[in-house]
Amino acid sequence: LRRTLVAASAAAATALTSPPARALVQGNPPPTGLRSYSSASPSGGPRTKQLSEEYLTDGTAAMSESVEAEVLPRDAYKKLDSGVIYADISKGSGEEVVPGKRLNVQWILRRSNGYFVDSSAVSDSVPFIFTVGKGDAIKGVDEGVLGMRGGGTRRILIPPSLAWVQGIDDGKPGPLPAGFGPRQQMRRVMTLRADVPGEYIFLEVKVTKVR
């Protein structure tokens, strides 16, 4: 258990501090206003978006005022019995998140290798709105947000078995990546890597409203 937690914690830190050359974007391009650049593929195919370290550390425009740049110590991460791992990036001062509360959440989605997939900022910072424990969110999010407070930000590492097991289509539990490319990336994770030891889906969430 300890080895799994340490490995996942190290992977999360690596994902946030990878040099720009390794920060390839798979899915939607990062939100405008954050530095990025492109490079042609050796085969002459479509350009591959690359993401600056500023984006990896600052997160989306909606979350950039927080402290995502801090590398969290390994002992900051906690593992739930279900396999979900989380660490608080910043603790909020608002109302506590408990089952039955309705939340507005801003989010950033990455694969376990640190590749950016999508974020709420790509869709004009429209929040993911759900009621905790009602089935509107994937199980890993339902479990991972418990105990947060309004205004807080948390990094959640979710096993595929607690992610989009019902599918990644409109109307399914979220947050859902937008568009064919990002959804296809997550479909591949769910179908090809679901049983790979140490495979996690990385989500950083900020609770902007609790009611």
Side-chain angles (χ1 to χ4, degrees):
L1 174 62
R2 179 176 177 78
R3 284 197 298 270
T4 301
L5 178 57
V6 169
S9 302
T14 301
L16 292 177
T17 58
S18 299
R22 292 172 52 197
L24 302 178
V25 174
Q26 295 185 342
N28 277 324
T32 57
L34 297 172
R35 293 200 304 268
S36 61
Y37 57 96
S38 301
S39 63
S41 67
S43 63
R47 289 177 177 269
T48 301
K49 292 288 186 180
Q50 293 186 304
L51 199 60
S52 70
E53 188 167 349
E54 178 185 28
Y55 182 80
L56 288 175
T57 56
D58 284 353
T60 68
M63 300 169 71
S64 61
E65 302 269 328
S66 190
V67 289
E68 280 74 28
E70 294 187 12
V71 176
L72 301 177
R74 291 177 178 176
D75 59 8
Y77 289 86
K78 299 177 176 61
K79 186 171 185 178
L80 304 178
D81 291 341
S82 64
V84 170
I85 298 171
Y86 71 88
D88 286 314
I89 297 173
S90 62
K91 294 183 180 292
S93 58
E95 190 174 352
E96 183 177 2
V97 176
V98 296
K101 290 293 184 181
R102 190 163 177 81
L103 309 183
N104 284 26
V105 169
Q106 298 288 339
W107 54 273
I108 306 169
L109 171 64
R110 299 188 183 95
R111 291 179 54 183
S112 60
N113 57 9
Y115 280 40
F116 171 86
V117 177
D118 202 4
S119 74
S120 52
V122 172
S123 300
D124 298 324
S125 293
V126 174
F128 172 50
I129 302 175
F130 69 103
T131 300
V132 180
K134 189 179 179 181
D136 302 329
I138 57 176
K139 288 185 178 180
V141 169
D142 252 349
E143 293 185 14
V145 298
L146 291 175
M148 293 183 70
R149 289 186 175 275
T153 305
R154 180 172 286 184
R155 188 173 300 151
I156 309 174
L157 284 64
I158 303 172
S161 61
L162 297 176
W164 296 281
V165 295
Q166 298 181 39
I168 315 178
D169 303 304
D170 291 345
K172 301 296 185 182
L176 292 168
F180 176 80
R183 292 189 182 187
Q184 191 66 7
Q185 288 296 326
M186 290 296 99
R187 287 190 185 102
R188 289 173 182 167
V189 171
M190 296 300 297
T191 56
L192 302 178
R193 299 190 58 83
D195 298 325
V196 175
E199 180 71 17
Y200 289 91
I201 292 160
F202 288 13
L203 268 173
E204 288 164 5
V205 298
K206 180 172 184 176
V207 177
T208 57
K209 183 179 291 187
V210 183
R211 55 195 182 284

